[in-house]
Amino acid sequence: MSREQVARKELAAAFRWAARLNFHEAVANHFSMAVSDDGQQFVVNRAGTHFSQVTASGLVMVDTAMKGDPLQYGVDPTAWVLHSYLHRNVAHAKCLLHTHMPYTTALACLKDFEFLMLDQNASAFHGRIAYDRHYAGMALEPTEGERVVSLLADGKDILFLANHGVLVVADTIAQAFDELYYLEKAAQLQVIALSTGRELQIVDNETAALACKQWREYPEAAELHFAALMDILDIESADYIK
């Protein structure tokens, strides 16, 4: 398969699983994958399509040179702004997943909150999270795209958007979805632990850094996880590859 065909199939699988895991929100939120080295071309979900109904052929191919109202191409305006700026200007943003997942978003709504190194899953994100503390409404203006790019300029690959949601960027769809999955699992644990009112036992920085390194070097963990998810879809919802 071509690079674009692979991207379409894997991205459609990511959408289907995001719906199954309750990571979606109505027909909002967007996933995209660059299919050109310069990020000028990428595939993204069509405006108005529910995550549970996304298919490989139903994704929209975007060329950032296109002019006019993005809706005429079937692309949501906020996806046009954020995803086009990130794919073009952040080298490690080949795949971009943006959601309003409930537990991660809940933490993003806490004043000055920083993700706690509370468990092994959380430690996978040690030193990798950037924070946008200033919610400024929907990303409809180019200046908002430029601002978000600046927050990921130092190599961070997770962005907590205050009062909004989260962005995850990675080189591949498998890597990005694996990060999204474990980020929400760790956030869920933090919300539960915080709700007890008991003192938290935080993992120290040295140990969290070690665990993060181990996570990132663990052989093919993300690829095996995503392959297993696609295998399930092949049996239960094979129409995603249409």
Side-chain angles (χ1 to χ4, degrees):
M1 288 192 290
S2 69
R3 181 175 180 179
E4 180 184 340
Q5 289 173 319
V6 171
R8 285 178 175 275
K9 179 179 179 181
E10 292 184 353
L11 203 58
F15 280 113
R16 293 296 185 98
W17 268 101
R20 288 186 176 209
L21 294 169
N22 197 34
F23 291 177
H24 62 308
E25 185 166 82
V27 293
N29 300 170
H30 313 99
F31 294 177
S32 61
M33 179 67 194
V35 294
S36 64
D37 291 337
D38 60 6
Q40 296 281 359
Q41 295 180 313
F42 59 90
V43 290
V44 66
N45 45 313
R46 184 175 295 277
T49 304
H50 195 274
F51 276 25
S52 66
Q53 296 181 318
V54 170
T55 62
S57 63
L59 296 169
V60 179
M61 170 64 80
V62 171
D63 188 319
T64 58
M66 295 189 302
K67 304 296 184 183
D69 181 358
L71 282 172
Q72 69 181 308
Y73 306 110
V75 183
D76 185 87
T78 59
W80 184 276
V81 171
L82 277 183
H83 292 241
S84 64
Y85 269 85
L86 284 161
H87 282 307
R88 282 183 291 139
N89 297 293
V90 179
H92 57 292
K94 302 302 182 189
C95 180
L96 169 58
L97 308 182
H98 169 51
T99 77
H100 301 163
M101 301 185 298
Y103 291 100
T104 309
T105 303
L107 296 179
C109 293
L110 301 180
K111 184 175 176 59
D112 298 326
F113 184 82
E114 292 198 4
F115 203 63
L116 301 171
M117 296 298 101
L118 190 56
D119 73 325
Q120 181 167 280
N121 289 345
S123 297
F125 304 100
H126 181 267
R128 299 171 53 202
I129 299 175
Y131 298 90
D132 176 9
R133 303 292 190 186
H134 306 288
Y135 176 66
M138 294 185 180
L140 295 171
E141 300 299 329
T143 52
E144 186 66 5
E146 294 168 356
R147 189 178 71 82
V148 173
V149 164
S150 71
L151 296 170
L152 293 174
D154 61 354
K156 297 288 196 298
D157 46 20
I158 311 291
L159 177 60
F160 274 61
L161 300 158
N163 311 104
H164 184 177
V166 66
L167 281 168
V168 174
V169 303
D171 286 331
T172 70
I173 294 167
Q175 291 169 355
F177 195 84
D178 193 63
E179 304 280 18
L180 197 72
Y181 175 86
Y182 281 106
L183 183 66
E184 181 68 351
K185 292 291 284 186
Q188 180 180 13
L189 183 81
Q190 294 194 20
V191 170
I192 294 170
L194 287 166
S195 72
T196 68
R198 296 282 300 274
E199 183 177 359
L200 303 178
Q201 180 166 303
I202 304 297
V203 178
D204 64 84
N205 280 329
E206 183 179 357
T207 304
L210 171 62
C212 180
K213 181 175 183 294
Q214 292 170 330
W215 264 103
R216 307 206 78 177
E217 293 177 351
Y218 207 87
E220 299 185 336
E223 291 75 18
L224 291 171
H225 177 199
F226 199 68
L229 297 181
M230 292 182 72
D231 285 345
I232 295 171
L233 288 180
D234 289 342
I235 296 169
E236 298 179 357
S237 303
D239 63 315
Y240 82 97
I241 62 174
K242 289 197 307 184

